[in-house]
Amino acid sequence: MVEHLIVAGDLLLRPWVSGDRDAVLGAFADPEMGRQSSEPVDTAAAAAAWIAARQRHWAVDRAYSWAVTDTEGAVLGSVEVSAVDRRHDTGWVSYWTVAPARGRGVASTACRVVSDWALRDLGLFRLELGHRLNNPASCRVATHAGFRPEGIQRDKLRYGDRRYDVEIHARLATDPDPGPTVTNAARRSR
């Protein structure tokens, strides 16, 4: 497995490691975060399984997930390129941040640099992402990272008894550069 370390100003993006278990468990304790995983992440074992799944996906070229940390190593969020389809050169981008990191440009920067990496180094042509219409912050992250809106999927998601419309965005390798991120990004392999 090739591990990538991406430095973006005062953010570090690195693959998830088993030592992140408590940070993952803490992140998913936020009720809003409970929606971000298909399985509950409410025990130490579940958090360890969540991390192990990301490591397995990376190893088989299925998905690439990074822990987004500050310079002290505190986990601020996650960014991922999943559903990698080599036949069509496509992938799905997702991201989340812990409550204290929201509104600071963490998700926008992480989404932008990982999308740049996927289009350039991974060789994908099209990246997609979606967000609930009632989540304007996620829409801002997408647009700041160069993703253009493409349409609405009606009643796509169901949480409890309520259904939500989702706006789909995409970024193509041929799209113009979206401009500078919140911070300058550089990448390096270790």
Side-chain angles (χ1 to χ4, degrees), residues 68-118:
V68 181
T69 73
D70 64 16
T71 56
E72 303 298 316
V75 173
L76 303 176
S78 178
V79 63
E80 180 174 63
V81 179
S82 62
V84 172
D85 180 334
R86 291 295 183 175
R87 178 172 184 217
H88 299 291
D89 294 328
T90 60
W92 183 265
V93 176
S94 57
Y95 43 83
W96 54 260
T97 54
V98 296
R102 293 179 190 145
R104 297 177 21 203
V106 171
S108 295
T109 299
C111 183
R112 167 69 187 276
V113 297
V114 166
S115 297
D116 289 349
W117 173 84

Side-chain angles (χ1 to χ4, degrees), residues 21 24-25 28 37 39-52:
R21 185 191 69 204
V24 168
L25 186 58
F28 281 96
S37 181
E39 305 271 332
V41 183
D42 54 3
T43 66
W50 186 91
I51 292 167

